Amino acid sequence: MLAEVSKNVFLHASQNKALNKAAKKWGLRFGAAQVVAGDTIEHAIKKVRELNEKGLVCTLDHLGEFVSSREEAIEATQYNVRTLEAMGQAGVTCNLSVKMTQLGLDIDRSFCVENMRRILETAKKYDNFVRIDMEDYAHCQMTLDILRELRETFDNVGTVIQAYLFRAEQDVKELKGIPLRLVKGAYQESPTVAFQDKAQIDENYMRIIEEHLLSGTYTAIASHDHHIIAKVKEFAHKNNIPRTQFEFQMLYGFRTDMQLSLAKEGYTMRVYVPFGNDWFGYFMRRLAERPQNVAFALKGFFSK
């Protein structure tokens, strides 16, 4: 009960615009520096290089979402373009994740698509890949519609499917052939559209992972759950699915020992590396996901 209350508090805080605005002035505090790789591109590239040297590949995410003006969206687009250019020039093994609400999705759909095309053109120039992050349920269908539109021109773009949504299995079937990151889900969604029970979410998660792997499509399994990871290994082995067809993904700052262990076993292990000064919403969702993360954050705060 207490854990559920705590989760709701953090999820509500993640969407509080006043707190998000204030957090930009605070800097990386309250343990956030342990899970956010700095506030500039230079800081992020340095972290990526360090991770690459340990045998880990990465994806960078310039934090920010739900912008309210075209100017903010254009600035975010330009920043993502510069991030791709910096990755290419640095020669690091890393791709990019973006949120379309940061690129103006709530302002104007065609404006957002235009910004996405600019980012994808830059990524193509550097032979790189861009993942469209899935946001809350209200943005799910429009995200998938835009993905399909972009895939008509670009093959270097994919998205994310959240296992807690009832629609997830059908979406995975319809997106056969498109690289997907499969996750459990981190937003607070209504019981009318999403599973609320952990066991049901886990069951659906394995169902969509197996569906996508069996389709022969490249699959990113984003989870810190060692039970899920063990099941994926076993399933891939039994079904002769090559390790080149899938990868594991985890968040920067979490379960680092397991990340290194998977890489040493020969699996592709990708670290999701967020950066930037708009870190508050991301950090609150990480605290909401697991009660252990709260203790983790407090430990980081008091060790400063």
Side-chain angles (χ1 to χ4, degrees), residues 4-24:
E4 187 62 27
V5 172
S6 174
K7 176 181 179 180
N8 291 337
V9 168
F10 285 121
L11 285 173
H12 279 104
S14 73
Q15 298 176 346
N16 187 296
K17 293 183 179 180
L19 288 175
N20 272 272
K21 184 176 180 180
K24 291 181 181 180

Side-chain angles (χ1 to χ4, degrees), residues 44 47 78 184:
K47 291 294 184 183
Q78 293 171 337
K184 292 185 183 181

Side-chain angles (χ1 to χ4, degrees), residues 15 54 82 93 99 104 112 149-150 156 226 258 283 298:
Q15 298 176 346
K54 295 177 181 178
R82 292 201 301 274
T93 306
K99 284 184 170 59
C112 176
E149 181 179 337
L150 292 170
N156 62 331
H226 58 278
M258 183 180 287
F283 186 49
L298 290 174

